[in-house]
Amino acid sequence: MDTKKGKVVIIGGGIMGLASAYYLLKSGWKVTVLDKGDLTNNCSFGNAGMIVPSHFIPLAAPGMISKGIKWMFDSHSPFYVKPSLDFSLISWGLKFMKSATASHVENSAPFLRDYHLLSRQLYRDLAKEPGFDFGLETKGILMLYKTEKAGEEEIHVGRDAQKLGLNVDILSREQVQVLEPNAHLDVIGAVHYRCDAHLYPNALIPQLIEYIKKNGGEIKLNSEVTGFDIRGGEIKSVQTRSGNFEGDLVVMTGGTWLPQLSKLAGLTIPVMPGKGYSFMESNSEHEIIHPSLLIEARVAVTPMNGKVRFGGTMEIAPVNDKVNMNRVEGIVNSIPNYYSDLKTELPEVKDIWYGFRPCSPDGLPYLGYSKKLKNLIVAGGHGMMGISLGPATGKVVAELADRKPTSIKISVYDPQRYN
């Protein structure tokens, strides 16, 4: 493989780091991926596997603050900000409040739409490549709702999506039930985002890792970054607990560790971890065909690999390894409210996955060159949209590395917009 372009050091072995490695290798760069762990516990493994052009509204949107305040007093609620005197949380919260405006949502929508649509096409291309079979299905996603109020809000968003050119259907209760003949749905309707898709992340991630290794890339495990050798406005080497790594270019992903990594490089990139939980159940007796989001409960339901993954909650708090069973119980209790013949049991702790979504204050990712360090590209802060935006991020990173025009506009994703 031609590696005349030079060396790239990628920090972080989640979907952003692996996708960046994939496209950089394709473009002829020599790639080394550094990960602080062993790649088994990043957020990409246990998520809902959804590819979501439907998610053109950032987390920082009108109404989220009032909902967040209400949900803070319910231990089973889907969204929770743990009260803390931690300065980073307070600072993040103030920035979130400032961003949660109608104009922010309106301005962000076309950018997020194009980002997701690029990823969807790249997933289709990737699924055709030898060595890749990750259960990609293009059945869309159902936004299931039980109340008139939720229905009005979802239909309004669905109409906005149609104006953005997305393929969306508004469905009655009867029309939804036709799409799901095996399970009895206790809903009053749904918005069907036919533009969406889903996959099995537990297959995708190992296949990306295998591709990287087979095509000359290196993956260094247990290599926590401890600092940077910065000279002349460039990163000369990345210092880790397992040695120093030199590169012509550095790509900083890092998930929820992005603030600490950026601080080591003299940058300020605010991210808070949004903890989520998921678990798997059999999908045999009342087979679910389409992925769905249970709107009032904020729970994701994804059929994958012969089972169903149920996931949810967004718990904004410092990183911790505690499984909050009340949150999991909230997910479990919500399922029969929508799928009335599903009797889901509370899983044992050992069967519950949890991970930390890297959430920016304005709900938009960070993607682009650093203004301070001319050989640093930042690609992080994708929140709940990591799997969905992975390939597009990797593609754009490779385009940035090659100094080519990017496939999508990325001006709103400026990684130093809070500096």
Side-chain angles (χ1 to χ4, degrees):
M1 180 174 289
D2 177 19
T3 55
K4 292 178 183 176
K5 290 183 179 178
K7 299 179 182 178
V8 183
V9 179
I10 299 173
I11 304 170
I15 183 62
M16 298 307 158
L18 297 176
S20 296
Y22 173 84
Y23 287 100
L24 285 163
L25 284 167
K26 287 263 186 186
S27 188
W29 290 84
K30 185 174 178 60
V31 172
T32 300
V33 179
L34 308 177
D35 195 80
K36 69 191 295 289
D38 60 4
L39 298 184
T40 62
N41 196 33
N42 63 56
C43 203
S44 309
F45 270 104
N47 70 41
M50 293 179 171
I51 303 160
V52 283
S54 57
H55 285 37
F56 57 87
I57 296 177
L59 183 64
M64 278 305 296
I65 295 170
S66 58
K67 286 179 181 176
I69 292 171
K70 180 182 73 173
W71 283 333
M72 277 179 68
F73 299 100
D74 180 0
S75 63
H76 294 78
S77 69
F79 182 80
Y80 178 67
V81 179
K82 186 175 182 179
S84 170
L85 293 177
D86 180 80
F87 173 76
S88 60
L89 176 60
I90 295 169
S91 175
W92 185 95
L94 292 171
K95 290 181 177 71
F96 182 94
M97 292 170 67
K98 187 177 179 180
S99 298
T101 65
S103 62
H104 173 59
V105 170
E106 185 178 350
N107 293 337
S108 303
F111 288 89
L112 287 172
R113 173 202 61 195
D114 293 348
Y115 203 167
H116 285 289
L117 288 176
L118 174 61
S119 246
R120 186 187 66 181
Q121 182 55 52
L122 292 172
Y123 270 125
R124 287 172 172 167
D125 297 342
L126 185 62
K128 298 172 186 173
E129 291 287 318
F132 285 94
D133 180 9
F134 43 87
L136 178 65
E137 296 193 56
T138 54
K139 297 174 180 176
I141 294 175
L142 296 169
M143 308 295 179
L144 301 174
Y145 51 82
K146 294 179 61 68
T147 63
E148 294 289 348
K149 184 175 185 298
E152 287 175 13
E153 292 176 358
E154 282 307 308
I155 291 170
H156 177 75
V157 174
R159 300 291 185 210
D160 287 343
Q162 289 171 337
K163 291 174 187 174
L164 285 167
L166 296 175
N167 188 356
V168 180
D169 288 337
I170 313 298
L171 304 179
S172 66
R173 180 206 307 260
E174 293 75 21
Q175 289 171 316
V176 182
Q177 191 62 74
V178 169
L179 290 178
E180 289 293 338
N182 306 315
H184 182 264
L185 293 172
D186 186 5
V187 299
I188 64 172
V191 177
H192 186 194
Y193 284 87
R194 299 170 65 87
C195 54
D196 288 359
H198 72 286
L199 52 78
Y200 184 41
N202 301 61
L204 171 68
I205 300 301
Q207 288 165 16
L208 282 171
I209 292 169
E210 183 68 14
Y211 177 92
I212 292 164
K213 290 178 176 178
K214 277 187 174 180
N215 288 274
E218 290 186 296
I219 298 178
K220 301 292 186 180
L221 305 180
N222 304 307
S223 297
E224 183 176 353
V225 173
T226 56
F228 298 94
D229 177 12
I230 299 172
R231 284 173 280 147
E234 285 188 350
I235 297 175
K236 298 298 182 181
S237 71
V238 180
Q239 301 160 347
T240 79
R241 297 193 186 282
S242 59
N244 298 341
F245 297 87
E246 295 180 354
D248 302 289
L249 189 67
V250 175
V251 178
M252 185 184 290
T253 66
T256 53
W257 302 105
L258 186 56
Q260 293 91 326
L261 286 168
S262 63
K263 188 176 181 182
L264 290 172
L267 308 177
T268 300
I269 303 179
V271 164
M272 283 300 295
K275 193 174 189 179
Y277 300 94
S278 73
F279 57 92
M280 303 281 280
E281 294 248 329
S282 169
N283 191 25
S284 54
E285 188 177 358
H286 302 285
E287 184 186 6
I288 296 171
I289 298 171
H290 295 78
S292 68
L293 289 173
L294 315 183
I295 293 304
E296 293 89 347
R298 297 293 201 274
V299 167
V301 179
T302 315
M304 55 172 72
N305 198 41
K307 296 186 176 182
V308 183
R309 177 167 288 166
F310 299 101
T313 80
M314 176 67 87
E315 189 177 305
I316 305 291
V319 170
N320 63 84
D321 59 2
K322 182 178 183 297
V323 174
N324 186 327
M325 291 305 291
N326 282 345
R327 301 269 168 228
V328 180
E329 190 175 12
I331 296 171
V332 170
N333 292 344
S334 71
I335 295 164
N337 292 335
Y338 295 79
Y339 298 90
S340 57
D341 44 13
L342 290 188
K343 307 302 179 189
T344 306
E345 299 292 329
L346 186 67
E348 295 183 33
V349 172
K350 67 179 178 63
D351 296 322
I352 299 168
W353 175 92
Y354 65 87
F356 301 94
R357 311 175 189 98
C359 299
S360 69
D362 59 5
L364 297 178
Y366 300 107
L367 180 59
Y369 271 102
S370 162
K371 293 184 178 72
K372 184 176 179 181
L373 300 169
K374 57 189 176 185
N375 68 334
L376 173 65
I377 296 172
V378 178
H382 292 77
M384 295 182 289
M385 305 179 291
I387 280 287
S388 185
L389 296 176
T393 301
K395 176 77 169 171
V396 169
V397 165
E399 290 168 342
L400 289 168
D402 292 339
R403 300 291 177 173
K404 292 180 178 178
T406 53
S407 298
I408 53 170
K409 295 179 180 178
I410 62 171
S411 55
V412 298
Y413 309 127
D414 178 7
Q416 289 186 235
R417 59 187 181 267
Y418 291 110
N419 278 244

